[in-house]
Amino acid sequence: MKKCLNRKTIGMAAAALTLAAVVSTGSAMAYFTTYAQAGGGAVVHLGFSQTVPEETVSNWTKHVTVKNTGESECYVRVRAFAGESYQAALTYRDENGKWTPGKDGCYYYSDVVRAGEQSGELLIGIDNLGKEESFNVIVVQEATPVLYDAAGKPYADWDMAFDSGEGGALQ
């Protein structure tokens, strides 16, 4: 009987020890798999879009296109500035129906401008109001990267800001 009791005791002790090891292994494995250390390095190339306005003037009209010279596709918008007395005299035309006016005074190009391509032409009419004095019409263009929604449809986020990491956000 003593032999039997020893075998039962040893068997029960082994089962308890195995059960304790299995129960504690889960939390120990979670600890070891939660933390990882890696070494080495890899170069990451982030594609940015870079845009350049191209404009010519003929017959008191600026012919404006925006070329994407960067590596990724983008959306573009354009706004023209003139002196205070000439600003209201600027007129905008688009023969292809791709430019639409925004509430902020900018004209938005509806299509994505792919890398190496350019937008359609926006015509900015200039009226000198019969004055002899010289003046400038300055065209400012902006671009934002193309974003995609859950359905894969492209859209522009003009309120996006990039953090430079140097104490402030770049707008």
Side-chain angles (χ1 to χ4, degrees):
M1 176 111 163
K2 198 169 186 173
K3 262 187 182 179
C4 192
L5 184 61
N6 284 340
R7 284 186 183 167
K8 282 185 182 178
T9 304
I10 292 172
M12 291 292 267
L17 184 61
T18 303
L19 183 61
V22 168
V23 169
S24 65
T25 301
S27 61
M29 288 302 288
Y31 176 80
F32 288 119
T33 58
T34 302
Y35 300 98
Q37 184 175 353
V43 177
V44 177
H45 295 283
L46 301 176
F48 290 102
S49 55
Q50 184 173 353
T51 53
V52 177
E54 297 179 353
E55 53 188 85
T56 58
V57 179
S58 65
N59 297 327
W60 290 95
T61 302
K62 274 201 173 197
H63 302 262
V64 179
T65 60
V66 180
K67 185 172 184 174
N68 183 355
T69 60
E71 300 171 351
S72 53
E73 51 194 22
C74 64
Y75 281 103
V76 295
R77 66 181 176 183
V78 168
R79 185 169 181 183
F81 294 95
E84 184 178 341
S85 58
Y86 298 104
Q87 186 69 34
L90 296 178
T91 58
Y92 296 85
R93 285 191 340 259
D94 172 23
E95 296 175 354
N96 297 321
K98 301 284 184 174
W99 292 93
T100 56
K103 294 177 183 175
D104 56 359
C106 293
Y107 275 72
Y108 293 82
Y109 191 65
S110 61
D111 291 348
V112 171
V113 181
R114 303 197 189 299
E117 295 181 2
Q118 67 183 19
S119 69
E121 188 175 63
L122 177 64
L123 305 173
I124 303 172
I126 305 165
D127 185 355
N128 69 351
L129 303 173
K131 298 180 181 178
E132 294 291 324
E133 62 189 39
S134 63
F135 64 96
N136 289 326
V137 176
I138 299 169
V139 175
V140 176
Q141 58 82 29
E142 294 178 299
T144 188
V146 175
L147 301 174
Y148 294 93
D149 63 11
K153 183 180 176 187
Y155 70 95
D157 182 4
W158 291 103
D159 296 323
M160 182 187 309
F162 295 99
D163 187 358
S164 67
E166 298 178 6
L170 297 174
Q171 296 281 341

